[in-house]
Amino acid sequence: MKNVVVVGSQWGDEGKGKIVDWLSDQADVIIRFQGGHNAGHTLVIDGNTYKLRLLPSGIVRKNKISIIGNGVVIDPWALLEEIEEIKSKGVEVNENNLIISESANLILPFHRELDGIREDTAGKEKIGTTRRGIGPAYEDKIGRRSIRIMDLGSQTNLDRGLDRALLHHNAIRKGMGKKIYEKSNLMKELLKIAPEILKYSKPVWLKIDEYKNKKKKILFEGAQGILLDVDHGTYPFVTSSNTVASSAATGSGCGPNTINYVLGITKSYTTRVGEGPFPTELKDKIGEHIGTKGKEFGTVTSRKRRCGWFDGVLVRQTIKISGIDGIALTKLDVLDELDEIKICTQYELNGKKIDYFPSSAEDQQKVKPIYQIFKGWKSSTKGIKDIDQLPENAKKYIYAIENFIKTTISSISTSPERSDTILLENPFDI
């Protein structure tokens, strides 16, 4: 029996939804352990499309337990809206198949407003957030002034918590010339929805221990990608949580020995949303072609993604940082029509060659990619399920990636459909 963590090995949007959905068919418990509703997963099952933001991908499957861990920040109104949306598509959501950690922190309206105010006033220094209040909510968590799920069950605790949070936020709002936030209406709104949220609330760490003792297969589902990790990503152009595999333990309430295998989802090229360095970015017709064919628009925000060649240096680095055991290579079919394809294998920085991505934000902007060039295969790989059926040049490209990153490619995705996958090894069976 294996417990598997799935993380993105790039800047997110690698196609985790499809892979997690496939793995969740074999798992008993699926846990979302960090992030907020700024990161979406798109699932395509039997021609039906499901766009999830907070709910774990396992929610669309029967007889599975879906858990939102303590490491997630939750906009309660967005969550209830998502639950109703998924129910309208015939998916069952109830207290038996959805559990929310009582320790999870809430995103409140003043978090969203602060997020937007900061982006609007930052000018060229803006981060490119989704303006959903994720960062400010994590700030309040670390600042010990956050409202947690459990506080919704006590009017006294909620009242005290809002006083504490608004003492901080209203001081900032006054300093920025904004109207102070009134507590009374927010209290009423939270108390109104509290029963709908609290019915899912449980001590998640205790439930995970129970499932471990019953030998249940657990799948941990990450959001975003390692290059957006607040410690290990392209700081300050990062998200507000730790996206590496080890945060699956802290973000759900279990020991690191619970994790047996880390699967890194890796796009056959590279994309990122928002601001920040991107050494292999293509600002030409090839980049436009990749973006169009790959439908590179955000699941949640519909923002256009920046596209570029596969950056082997970055992926090799994230593999080491996150302890990735195997790679699921996605969107191979997007490259089908290209005459040549490139892999970045080194950088040039200040006239010197380096084989890692520097930590300095200044150096990250200055590095220039050095490429290995491959001939394109100029034929369709869409829907292929056997590696031997791939064009020779496609196989050469795949093996070159595997050799360079020194990590096994466990699967290859050849379309958004769950069944269109070349399976080389199953993480649950290793």
Side-chain angles (χ1 to χ4, degrees):
M1 187 273 292
K2 292 283 186 180
N3 296 326
V4 177
V5 177
V6 173
V7 292
S9 71
Q10 295 156 307
W11 277 291
D13 308 311
E14 299 95 349
K16 291 186 292 295
K18 170 184 171 175
I19 305 300
V20 170
D21 170 59
W22 171 71
L23 288 170
S24 68
D25 188 35
Q26 305 166 62
D28 302 301
V29 182
I30 300 90
I31 304 174
R32 171 81 183 274
F33 60 85
Q34 50 78 218
H37 65 309
N38 57 339
H41 287 168
T42 300
L43 311 180
V44 181
I45 305 171
D46 298 328
N48 297 314
T49 300
Y50 303 92
K51 293 189 176 183
L52 305 177
R53 296 171 289 278
L54 280 167
L55 294 172
S57 297
I59 200 70
V60 300
R61 300 197 166 278
K62 293 182 179 180
N63 303 316
K64 308 292 180 182
I65 304 296
S66 291
I67 294 177
I68 300 176
N70 56 273
V72 179
V73 286
I74 299 172
D75 181 322
W77 296 277
L79 175 61
L80 292 176
E81 183 180 329
E82 186 176 343
I83 289 172
E84 289 308 309
E85 181 183 330
I86 205 77
K87 280 184 175 181
S88 71
K89 295 188 175 184
V91 176
E92 187 174 357
V93 182
N94 55 48
E95 303 94 303
N96 296 317
N97 69 349
L98 176 63
I99 300 172
I100 302 174
S101 171
E102 59 186 5
S103 301
N105 294 259
L106 296 183
I107 300 170
L108 298 175
F110 50 78
H111 293 131
R112 295 195 301 270
E113 290 182 21
L114 180 58
D115 204 353
I117 291 167
R118 285 174 172 169
E119 283 291 278
D120 290 338
T121 57
K124 293 182 180 180
E125 299 299 316
K126 69 177 181 178
I127 301 298
T129 77
T130 56
R131 299 170 179 257
R132 280 166 164 72
I134 313 296
Y138 273 116
E139 289 178 40
D140 279 4
K141 175 181 177 177
I142 299 303
R144 299 180 294 277
R145 55 180 174 267
S146 184
I147 305 298
R148 300 195 289 176
I149 292 288
M150 65 180 75
D151 295 324
L152 295 176
S154 166
Q155 188 167 342
T156 300
N157 286 346
L158 185 58
D159 186 68
R160 289 174 180 170
L162 286 174
D163 280 341
R164 187 168 56 244
L166 288 175
L167 178 66
H168 172 81
H169 281 272
N170 279 335
I172 294 174
R173 294 172 74 93
K174 285 180 182 178
M176 301 183 82
K178 303 295 180 180
K179 185 179 178 181
I180 66 168
Y181 205 95
E182 297 292 343
K183 180 181 73 171
S184 57
N185 285 339
L186 181 56
M187 271 282 292
K188 291 177 183 176
E189 292 173 13
L190 286 171
L191 290 172
K192 181 179 179 181
I193 64 170
E196 286 301 304
I197 297 291
L198 288 171
K199 68 183 182 181
Y200 302 109
S201 174
K202 292 178 184 177
V204 160
W205 67 269
L206 193 59
K207 297 302 294 183
I208 293 175
D209 187 61
E210 175 188 322
Y211 298 137
K212 284 172 61 180
N213 290 335
K214 291 180 178 179
K215 305 299 181 184
K216 300 291 186 181
K217 289 183 180 179
I218 303 174
L219 177 64
F220 297 88
E221 172 185 357
Q224 292 113 356
I226 296 165
L227 291 168
L228 291 175
D229 185 279
V230 69
D231 289 312
H232 302 289
T234 49
Y235 191 91
F237 302 99
V238 293
T239 193
S240 302
S241 59
N242 287 111
T243 60
V244 292
S246 53
S247 65
T250 53
S252 57
C254 61
N257 61 348
T258 305
I259 300 168
N260 306 115
Y261 187 98
V262 179
L263 180 66
I265 314 303
T266 308
K267 203 172 281 185
S268 299
Y269 46 97
T270 309
T271 63
R272 83 169 297 175
V273 173
E275 309 299 322
F278 187 169
T280 65
E281 184 174 9
L282 293 167
K283 299 179 180 180
D284 56 14
K285 290 182 179 180
I286 297 175
E288 286 291 328
H289 170 81
I290 291 173
T292 300
K293 186 162 185 186
K295 297 180 180 179
E296 296 297 351
F297 298 93
T299 298
V300 173
T301 63
S302 297
R303 289 189 298 176
K304 186 177 180 180
R305 296 175 187 142
R306 300 152 63 190
C307 299
W309 296 121
F310 184 87
D311 194 327
V313 179
L314 282 176
V315 172
R316 186 174 61 185
Q317 190 162 318
T318 60
I319 285 170
K320 294 177 180 179
I321 290 170
S322 202
I324 291 172
D325 298 298
I327 289 292
L329 193 68
T330 64
K331 291 198 165 186
L332 181 70
D333 55 302
V334 174
L335 304 178
D336 284 349
E337 298 169 20
L338 299 179
D339 293 318
E340 65 177 25
I341 301 166
K342 300 179 182 180
I343 296 176
C344 174
T345 56
Q346 279 185 308
Y347 299 129
E348 182 183 312
L349 177 62
N350 300 325
K352 296 181 179 180
K353 293 181 179 179
I354 60 173
D355 59 0
Y356 64 95
F357 195 54
S359 299
S360 161
E362 181 181 0
D363 287 345
Q364 288 176 356
Q365 296 283 5
K366 289 163 61 177
V367 294
K368 296 178 181 179
I370 298 171
Y371 291 113
Q372 184 177 356
I373 302 174
F374 298 83
K375 288 183 179 180
W377 41 93
K378 302 290 287 184
S379 60
S380 177
T381 61
K382 187 173 183 178
I384 291 178
K385 300 177 178 65
D386 186 336
I387 193 167
D388 292 331
Q389 295 177 5
L390 288 174
E392 283 302 313
N393 285 348
K395 287 190 279 188
K396 287 179 182 179
Y397 179 68
I398 292 164
Y399 294 143
I401 289 174
E402 188 174 57
N403 183 62
F404 182 79
I405 64 176
K406 294 181 171 56
T407 303
T408 300
I409 293 177
S410 62
S411 66
I412 303 161
S413 175
T414 56
S415 98
E417 287 287 345
R418 183 169 66 91
S419 60
D420 291 341
T421 301
I422 300 170
L423 180 61
L424 302 173
E425 66 177 28
N426 188 334
F428 279 122
D429 294 338
I430 296 169

